[in-house]
Amino acid sequence: LNGGIANVLQEEELDAPGMQLIYVQNQITTEMMIGQMFQDVQKCIIAAVAIFFIMMLHMRSLFLASVGMIQIILSFPIAFFIYRIFFGLRLFGALHGGALFIVL
């Protein structure tokens, strides 16, 4: 958490050693989720760049590595299209996205 809310919560936890402060508020939960999401996206970007360089070193071709990465990236919307249209499933939660990421 960034900002004033985080500082207040940390001060409250420090004032009562041995106690754990549990809070439930939509704004705090949303801030935490967005922060975690940005960290996860950063890790995915780092992984994609690393995979691109490994592919480029292995194939010794910038063109083939670029086409391979485009193919990987385009597989996500194609898989989502098949999921929605052919299977007729409307719910696409975070767990589904994680499973799709792992499979592809």
Side-chain angles (χ1 to χ4, degrees), residues 11-71:
E11 288 173 7
E12 290 297 324
E13 286 181 2
L14 292 176
D15 287 344
M19 271 184 108
Q20 182 180 9
L21 178 64
I22 299 174
Y23 53 91
V24 176
Q25 184 187 15
N26 194 22
Q27 180 183 2
I28 296 171
T29 306
T30 303
E31 287 180 23
M32 291 177 65
M33 288 173 54
I34 290 172
Q36 186 63 46
M37 185 177 67
F38 280 129
Q39 289 177 3
D40 293 345
V41 168
Q42 287 175 342
K43 291 175 185 173
C44 287
I45 291 170
I46 291 170
V49 169
I51 290 169
F52 174 76
F53 281 116
I54 290 170
M55 287 171 49
M56 191 172 64
L57 290 172
H58 181 70
M59 293 186 279
R60 295 188 179 114
S61 172
L62 178 65
F63 175 74
L64 288 177
S66 299
V67 171
M69 285 305 295
I70 290 170
Q71 184 178 12

